[in-house]
Amino acid sequence: MRETLRTRLGWLHGWLGYGAALVLTCIFATGSVAVFNMEITRWMQPEVQLATLVPPGALALDAAARLVAAEQARGVSAFITLPSARSPTLDVVHYNGHEFVGARLDPATGAAIPARITAGGGLFYNFHHTLFLGPQVGTVIVNIAGMALLVAIVSGVVIHIHALVPDIILFRLSAARLRAWLDAHLLAGVLFVPFMVMMAYTGVLVKADMLVPAAPRPARPVQANTPPPAPMPDLTRLPLAPLLAQARASLPGQEPGFILFAPQRVSIFAGDASSAFLTRDHADFTLPEGTLSRPAQPPPLLPAPCSSCTGCIMPVLPRRACGGCISCPACAAPPSWPAGWSCS
């Protein structure tokens, strides 16, 4: 009975591991490269000649607000990405279903930088998460491959658990080629199994809501006289420089990273490089007055729903365990490379 179980697990381990490895090899390779996605994009756009980091000026922020207003008039939900050490330009971008695209501005003058159009490092980032098949189909395929990896790891451990220690120290280079490859496979698998388990488990966990059916949410009561959604105020008359200064003061120790716009408010979020944890602290300002309505809160000790998605004007798609959405820049923006390297 034991040998029959080991034989069946060996068949499962071999075929499931081989099939999943064909996809996972591409996922792992692109994930490792995607850590440096912004650096790759800058390398592929030599027209961006900004050697030093310049804080965005009032003229540049006003020019960015005008571009956002023009995009909003076309029905495109655009937002502003502030300069950082990894990307020194002031960007007005939107999510096109695969990546964030848009205009690059000089943070000092607000002049548009005629950089060539390229996917850059975003290609590797999106391929790692969705295989470039879209946020629904691609993410499900990646999740299934991650679950197959977990099954292959568990079955491999059960197969070799009875002689794990003797097999580890065996590496017979002088044996037949197949036997030597099996010894190398076992040695590498045992040494890296904690890393593989943690990587596969966390990768599947953050997207588990797309595979595991969740309890249906209660339907919101329909009101007969529901007022129409408020139109977007005129952003061209909104001075962003004073709002950015107030947000910087309410985010102690953190540098603002991007600015989101909604019909009722403007939200300025802390950048990913400000902390080792993605807290998504932000300051909200009412429109059209521009008064501070919600100062930045301290980072929560436990994962909590992303408050930006409750009023996000972008389509909500499952994204992370925090409850965010892939098309919301507060949740889908790639982390800074130290944090990204640890989770890719």
Side-chain angles (χ1 to χ4, degrees):
M1 179 64 182
R2 182 178 300 177
E3 292 301 322
T4 303
L5 177 62
R6 293 183 67 247
T7 301
R8 293 178 178 177
L9 287 178
W11 179 89
L12 178 66
H13 177 77
W15 284 106
L16 189 62
Y18 176 76
L22 296 177
V23 179
L24 290 170
T25 300
C26 301
I27 295 175
F28 293 160
T30 53
S32 299
V33 178
V35 177
F36 311 99
N37 61 328
M38 294 186 180
E39 289 75 12
I40 294 175
T41 302
R42 289 182 60 185
W43 173 70
M44 298 184 67
Q45 292 180 331
E47 298 84 2
V48 181
Q49 299 292 337
L50 297 176
T52 59
L53 178 60
V54 179
L59 293 177
L61 291 173
D62 291 342
R66 289 192 294 268
L67 288 179
V68 172
E71 294 289 343
Q72 298 286 359
R74 298 192 302 111
V76 177
S77 299
F79 64 98
I80 298 175
T81 300
L82 300 173
S84 64
R86 300 182 65 199
S87 181
T89 58
L90 181 67
D91 302 336
V92 178
V93 295
H94 65 275
Y95 187 70
N96 66 355
H98 292 288
E99 58 187 342
F100 293 102
V101 296
R104 293 182 179 272
L105 307 179
D106 189 314
T109 64
I113 301 176
R116 66 190 66 185
I117 300 176
T118 175
L123 173 67
F124 301 99
Y125 180 83
N126 293 306
F127 190 94
H128 174 71
H129 285 281
T130 66
L131 300 177
F132 224 72
L133 297 176
Q136 294 288 346
V137 177
T139 304
V140 170
I141 294 177
V142 172
N143 280 4
I144 293 175
M147 295 179 65
L149 176 60
L150 289 175
V151 175
I153 292 174
V154 173
S155 59
V157 171
V158 174
I159 292 171
H160 296 283
I161 193 66
H162 72 290
L164 191 60
V165 176
D167 287 345
I168 291 177
I169 61 177
L170 285 178
F171 189 31
R172 293 159 285 194
L173 291 175
S174 59
R177 180 176 299 180
L178 180 59
R179 181 69 260 178
W181 276 112
L182 288 175
D183 288 344
H185 171 76
L186 179 59
L187 179 61
V190 171
L191 292 178
F192 293 101
V193 68
F195 175 74
M196 298 291 290
V197 170
M198 201 62 182
M199 181 172 55
Y201 174 73
T202 54
V204 172
L205 181 63
V206 297
K207 305 287 184 66
D209 55 345
M210 301 192 70
L211 290 180
V212 181
R217 297 182 179 180
R220 296 182 179 181
V222 179
Q223 299 180 0
N225 298 324
T226 303
M232 181 69 70
D234 186 6
L235 300 179
T236 60
R237 300 182 180 180
L238 179 66
L240 293 180
L243 305 187
L244 184 59
Q246 295 183 52
R248 187 176 286 109
S250 65
L251 295 169
Q254 302 183 78
E255 189 66 22
F258 40 89
I259 306 176
L260 270 66
F261 301 89
Q264 302 295 334
R265 69 179 187 273
V266 174
S267 300
I268 301 180
F269 285 77
D272 294 331
S274 301
S275 173
F277 303 96
L278 298 179
T279 60
R280 299 307 183 201
D281 293 341
H282 61 282
D284 293 339
F285 300 87
T286 60
L287 289 178
E289 298 84 3
T291 57
L292 181 63
S293 62
R294 180 187 181 276
Q297 300 295 324
L301 299 178
L302 296 176
C306 176
S307 59
S308 66
C309 299
T310 58
C312 184
I313 58 178
M314 303 179 184
V316 177
L317 300 175
R319 173 62 179 93
R320 286 183 177 171
C322 68
C325 48
I326 193 171
S327 58
C328 175
C331 303
S336 58
W337 73 262
W341 183 266
S342 63
C343 64
S344 65

